[in-house]
Amino acid sequence: MHELKNKTEIGYIKQACRIVGELLIYLKEIAKPGVMTKWLDEKAEDFIRKRGAVPAFKNYNEFPSSICTSVNEEVIHGIPGTYRLNEGDILSIDVGVNKAGYFGDAAVTIPIGQVSPEKSKLLNVTEASLYAGIQKAIHKNHVSDISKAIQGLVEGNGFSVVRDFVGHGVGKKLHEEPPIPNYKTPGRGPRLLSGMTLAIEPMVNMKGFEVIIKKDKWTVVTKDGHPSAHFEHTVLVRDGEPEILTMV
Ligand code: MG
């Protein structure tokens, strides 16, 4: 069963989401060539704890860090470490925050210095596909309306949509029903209702859609080694335009 949140719960979820949004802006400012991804993770954990919140990813299924940092061909779930960012990299940062038992979840992919035109287009199209999906997160639509909007934009630009990982409900837990695929599946999927809070998160590969998991058991990479991008927001479904809770 998907969760409908009442006004009080939405208020708490908004607080968690605000921290997520502010943290991503801060991380974008400090992610520069030469910076180690584990330094970004330390800064993120400080930022979250100073706001009286808890990093939701840390220790989730034994994930070791507060954020996921996924570089170039890494799709999602990259573990921050001693890797130093290079000019021309693209870096996906995924953040989850637990504030008073309520959750927000968002991700961005950012260019490190000057990146190639192909990578730049990948970022622009992936972000645009997120907003195309969000526009369909309206009361009485179906999950498949979101999926179709994302897939159409991505494939129309010659890129591919990852199948093995999908968006999800979020709010009282980090992962809730319903799953939100970024590609067409049989049927229309569950109906969206006002009061649902959803993490919509297209993962877009430059070439083939297939992914594999690295030996660290977390990092998801493209099978063909080409780059991948990831954008995500937590949104509130309403009767009319959805509210993007992680946008600050
Ligand atoms: Mg998510």
Side-chain angles (χ1 to χ4, degrees):
M1 248 311 270
H2 47 71
E3 288 270 5
L4 297 183
K5 279 80 178 185
N6 64 37
K7 236 183 165 177
T8 311
E9 291 166 338
I10 289 166
Y12 283 115
I13 293 166
K14 280 184 178 177
Q15 288 184 34
C17 287
R18 169 164 281 277
I19 297 169
V20 171
E22 288 174 352
L23 174 54
L24 284 173
I25 289 171
Y26 169 61
L27 292 174
K28 266 193 233 177
E29 283 167 7
I30 64 171
K32 296 262 157 41
V35 159
M36 269 189 203
T37 51
K38 73 172 183 187
W39 182 76
L40 295 175
D41 183 56
E42 288 163 16
K43 291 291 188 187
E45 180 163 3
D46 278 356
F47 187 102
I48 294 167
R49 294 200 189 276
K50 276 193 184 129
R51 282 155 182 79
V54 177
F57 294 172
K58 198 159 194 173
N59 302 320
Y60 184 85
N61 293 333
E62 295 175 26
F63 187 77
S65 309
S66 297
I67 58 174
C68 302
T69 53
S70 310
V71 181
N72 296 329
E73 77 283 0
E74 296 174 351
V75 180
I76 48 166
H77 300 168
I79 301 171
T82 54
Y83 180 77
R84 283 184 192 278
L85 297 172
N86 284 304
E87 175 92 18
D89 283 346
I90 53 172
L91 169 68
S92 302
I93 307 175
D94 197 346
V95 172
V97 164
N98 169 355
K99 172 81 174 173
Y102 293 87
F103 293 83
D105 189 3
V108 291
T109 303
I110 56 174
I112 303 301
Q114 192 75 27
V115 304
S116 69
E118 295 82 5
K119 280 180 168 174
S120 187
K121 183 183 171 192
L122 179 67
L123 302 196
N124 291 337
V125 168
T126 307
E127 186 170 26
S129 78
L130 169 60
Y131 288 104
I134 288 173
Q135 281 183 3
K136 302 291 180 184
I138 295 170
H139 182 64
K140 289 190 173 169
N141 268 1
H142 289 258
V143 165
S144 61
D145 294 314
I146 298 174
S147 314
K148 252 197 282 179
I150 292 171
Q151 184 175 27
L153 197 93
V154 168
E155 294 182 352
N157 279 281
F159 299 137
S160 70
V161 169
V162 171
R163 266 65 164 171
D164 292 2
F165 298 87
V166 298
H168 51 93
V170 63
K172 295 209 251 183
K173 288 190 291 182
L174 184 58
H175 293 110
E176 299 175 345
E177 294 295 315
I180 305 174
N182 300 302
Y183 57 96
K184 199 181 171 322
T185 53
R188 299 186 70 189
R191 194 182 275 277
L192 302 173
L193 297 169
S194 188
M196 290 173 81
T197 41
L198 308 174
I200 301 174
E201 51 175 322
M203 289 147 265
V204 175
N205 293 353
M206 192 180 279
K207 304 283 184 187
F209 69 82
E210 289 166 295
V211 298
I212 49 176
I213 297 178
K214 282 194 358 189
K215 281 203 195 90
D216 65 16
K217 296 202 172 102
W218 278 107
T219 312
V220 177
V221 295
T222 57
K223 196 173 173 192
D224 58 20
H226 287 289
S228 184
H230 179 212
F231 282 83
E232 175 180 24
H233 272 306
T234 296
V235 306
L236 171 63
V237 177
R238 302 189 294 195
D239 197 356
E241 203 184 319
E243 186 175 354
I244 305 176
L245 306 183
T246 41
M247 182 132 83
V248 292

